[in-house]
Amino acid sequence: MRKKRLILLGIIISSAIIIWFTSIKIKHDEQTLVQSMAVSMDEHYRVEELLETLYKELEKNYGELVLSFSPDERILTVKVKDQEFIVKNQVEIKKQINEIAKKMNMDDIKVEIKTGL
């Protein structure tokens, strides 16, 4: 009888320890997720601000265009009228984008210019 109580007590204590460690791991994972979400939201706002700033500047200098951003590959795509426009303005557009992105601490983006407005 005493042996059964000790075994039962051991099972209860080991289960409590397992639950305790599991709850610590869950809390840690939860904190990591919250931090990751905060970083993602901050990045989202920075990208939005970058796109708005770039659009205002580029539209003023080059007319109609469309901007899009791929966060996974960190590629900024500029869609313009035609291939002739790209040939004529590509260097200046990329230079202007890189300068603005650098000022906003987002100088790790790649720039692609495509046709298809």
Side-chain angles (χ1 to χ4, degrees), residues 50 53-54 57-58 61-62 76 91-109 111:
L50 175 68
T53 304
L54 286 173
E57 287 296 314
L58 294 175
N61 296 332
Y62 302 103
L76 174 71
V91 174
E92 281 302 312
I93 290 174
K94 283 187 175 184
K95 181 179 174 186
Q96 193 169 6
I97 289 172
N98 288 328
E99 285 174 4
I100 292 171
K102 189 173 184 175
K103 287 179 189 173
M104 299 178 82
N105 293 325
M106 294 193 65
D107 52 346
D108 60 335
I109 62 173
V111 179

Side-chain angles (χ1 to χ4, degrees), residues 62-91:
Y62 302 103
E64 190 179 353
L65 49 87
V66 175
L67 299 175
S68 62
F69 185 76
S70 170
D72 295 332
E73 296 90 23
R74 303 205 47 81
I75 297 175
L76 174 71
T77 304
V78 180
K79 290 189 179 179
V80 296
K81 301 176 233 178
D82 54 33
Q83 190 64 35
E84 183 182 322
F85 182 87
I86 292 174
V87 171
K88 201 164 135 183
N89 299 300
Q90 180 172 358
V91 174

